[in-house]
């Protein structure tokens, strides 16, 4: 028993870095991929940055809905900045090594910000529920103090749990290959190079997913069930159309984010392939944040009007 413990400790201390293989199997496309991801990252920064600015400076957008949208745009910038800069560096330098500490920090922030996104999307659904189902009480219920408290709870609510989750994963002994066939440090690739029994860790990951992803998702579904029921009872077709338009952007974002995340994390192990895992991981960490500004701006007259003011169109 002592020998096994010594070997496990030795493996853990010897593993000082990982190698993120990323797209190393496509050597002729490294430059093209760098260009594509650079354009995506810049569009995320510019698009979400613009949404963040106009929700802060335009007097017409000083409402709870746009307060949450501004926070969501800032979150998307942070979320993608955890993974994309290192991906770009790896593609540019062709050096794919990442230290154990840097990998743990990346995974920790990814889990924290991912949990924050789930909670914030739930808060945004609750805001739409109150606005449509309880319009007379909306200013009282969603006052500025409550909005700030809901945003703070979304940002910090999952921090202790996600830090504990990260610590638990990196307390595992890693042995054998130090190559992670993924584009960033993620849970499933790390489990593949971990030694010993990881069943407890897997249970912890699923429990974490239920708490910070499935529960908010179910609350969002419940909110929209009541919202749609209320909208359908409106006597005016114009009123129904206007009410639907205030919710459609949020629904599309929810479908994109939760849809890809659920497929990624809840599908059977037998269907997992490294190529599919990379694509799905990129989808919910990069593609969705890229489309969010387009979804909210193209489908929102207030946002379009605010942009026209800024650019004096």
């Amino acid at each position: 028993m002592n020998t096994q413990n010594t070997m496990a400790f030795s493996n853990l201390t010897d593993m000082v870095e990982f190698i993120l293989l990323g797209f190393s199997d496509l050597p002729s496309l490294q430059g093209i991929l760098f260009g594509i991801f650079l354009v995506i990252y810049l569009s995320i920064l510019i698009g979400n940055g613009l949404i963040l600015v106009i929700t802060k400076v335009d007097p017409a957008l000083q409402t709870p809905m746009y307060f949450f949208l501004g926070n969501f745009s800032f979150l998307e910038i942070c979320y993608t900045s955890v993974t994309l800069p290192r991906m770009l560096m790896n593609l540019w330098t062709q050096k794919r090594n990442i230290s154990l500490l840097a990998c743990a920090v990346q995974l920790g922030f990814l889990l924290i910000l991912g949990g924050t996104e789930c909670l914030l999307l739930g808060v945004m659904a609750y805001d739409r529920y109150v606005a449509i189902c309880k319009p007379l009480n909306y200013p009282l219920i969603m006052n500025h103090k409550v909005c700030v408290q809901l945003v703070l709870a979304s940002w910090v609510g999952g921090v202790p749990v996600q830090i504990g989750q990260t610590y638990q994963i990196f307390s595992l002994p890693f042995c054998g290959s130090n190559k992670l066939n993924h584009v960033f440090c993620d849970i499933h690739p790390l489990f593949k190079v971990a030694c010993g029994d990881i069943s407890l860790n897997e249970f912890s990951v699923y429990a974490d997913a239920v708490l910070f992803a499935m529960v908010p998702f179910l609350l969002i579904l419940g909110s929209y069930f009541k919202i749609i029921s209320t909208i359908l009872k409106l006597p005016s077709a114009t009123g129904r159309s206007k009410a639907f338009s205030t919710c459609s952007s949020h629904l599309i974002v929810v479908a994109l984010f939760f849809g890809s995340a659920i497929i990624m994390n809840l599908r059977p192990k037998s269907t997992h392939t490294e190529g599919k895992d990379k694509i799905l991981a990129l989808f919910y960490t990069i593609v969705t944040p890229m489309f969010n500004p387009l979804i909210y701006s193209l489908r929102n007259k207030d946002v379009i009007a605010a942009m026209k003011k800024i650019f004096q169109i």
Side-chain angles (χ1 to χ4, degrees):
M1 186 69 178
N2 291 333
T3 304
Q4 290 178 347
N5 290 335
T6 304
M7 288 176 64
F9 181 77
S10 176
N11 285 330
L12 179 61
T13 53
D14 288 343
M15 189 75 76
V16 295
E17 67 176 17
F18 294 109
I19 297 174
L20 291 168
L21 296 181
F23 300 100
S24 58
D25 56 333
L26 302 170
S28 60
L29 297 179
Q30 299 298 294
I32 296 173
L33 289 171
F34 175 84
I36 291 172
F37 287 124
L38 179 61
V39 170
I40 290 174
Y41 188 46
L42 291 176
S43 67
I44 290 170
L45 294 179
I46 295 169
N48 286 285
L50 188 58
I51 296 288
L52 177 60
V53 169
I54 64 174
T55 56
K56 295 295 182 185
V57 303
D58 194 293
L61 302 183
Q62 302 307 303
T63 64
M65 183 175 76
Y66 294 110
F67 173 70
F68 294 133
L69 179 57
N71 273 276
F72 188 70
S73 295
F74 177 66
L75 172 63
E76 295 292 59
I77 291 173
C78 297
Y79 192 47
T80 52
S81 295
V82 173
T83 56
L84 259 176
R86 179 168 282 275
M87 284 175 57
L88 289 169
M89 183 183 72
N90 292 348
L91 287 166
W92 181 258
T93 63
Q94 298 299 299
K95 294 179 180 178
R96 299 180 174 85
N97 56 307
I98 181 171
S99 69
L100 196 71
L101 177 61
C103 189
V105 170
Q106 186 181 64
L107 178 62
F109 275 108
L110 199 65
L111 293 176
I112 290 169
L113 296 175
T116 300
E117 182 152 354
C118 294
L119 295 174
L120 195 53
L121 284 170
V123 167
M124 294 169 77
Y126 175 70
D127 171 69
R128 291 299 82 209
Y129 160 74
V130 177
I132 293 172
C133 300
K134 301 181 179 181
L136 297 178
N137 294 325
Y138 182 67
L140 180 64
I141 296 174
M142 299 303 293
N143 60 66
H144 183 67
K145 182 180 179 181
V146 170
C147 292
V148 171
Q149 288 173 340
L150 287 172
V151 166
L152 284 175
S154 298
W155 277 94
V156 304
V159 170
V161 175
Q162 305 300 4
I163 289 176
Q165 183 78 265
T166 305
Y167 175 79
Q168 187 181 47
I169 291 169
F170 280 88
S171 294
L172 289 168
F174 297 105
C175 59
S177 175
N178 66 339
K179 294 178 180 179
L180 303 179
N181 195 357
H182 208 57
V183 289
F184 52 80
C185 287
D186 206 355
I187 293 173
H188 297 296
L190 286 166
F191 278 169
K192 288 181 180 180
V193 297
C195 301
D197 184 15
I198 60 169
S199 56
L200 182 61
N201 300 88
E202 289 180 322
F203 174 79
S204 177
V205 168
Y206 281 114
D208 185 46
V210 168
L211 181 62
F212 291 99
M214 191 56 68
V215 170
F217 181 62
L218 292 175
L219 291 174
I220 291 169
L221 290 181
S223 297
Y224 273 103
F225 177 78
K226 293 184 177 180
I227 287 170
I228 292 170
S229 299
T230 302
I231 291 174
L232 292 176
K233 293 176 183 177
L234 295 175
S236 167
T238 304
R240 288 195 297 270
S241 177
K242 185 177 180 181
F244 270 122
S245 69
T246 64
C247 302
S248 57
S249 298
H250 182 253
L251 266 175
I252 293 170
V253 172
V254 167
L256 286 173
F257 178 77
F258 279 103
S260 56
I262 288 171
I263 293 171
M264 175 71 182
N265 294 294
L266 297 184
R267 60 202 171 102
K269 285 185 179 181
S270 59
T271 64
H272 278 251
T273 63
E274 289 161 344
K276 287 181 181 179
D277 287 352
K278 290 178 189 178
I279 293 171
L280 286 169
L282 288 174
F283 196 88
Y284 71 81
T285 58
I286 295 174
V287 177
T288 303
M290 179 180 66
F291 283 122
N292 285 348
L294 291 174
I295 293 168
Y296 278 106
S297 60
L298 294 178
R299 302 182 62 85
N300 192 304
K301 293 179 180 179
D302 294 334
V303 172
I304 293 172
M307 287 184 179
K308 286 180 177 179
K309 285 182 187 177
I310 290 178
F311 295 108
Q312 298 180 343
I313 299 175

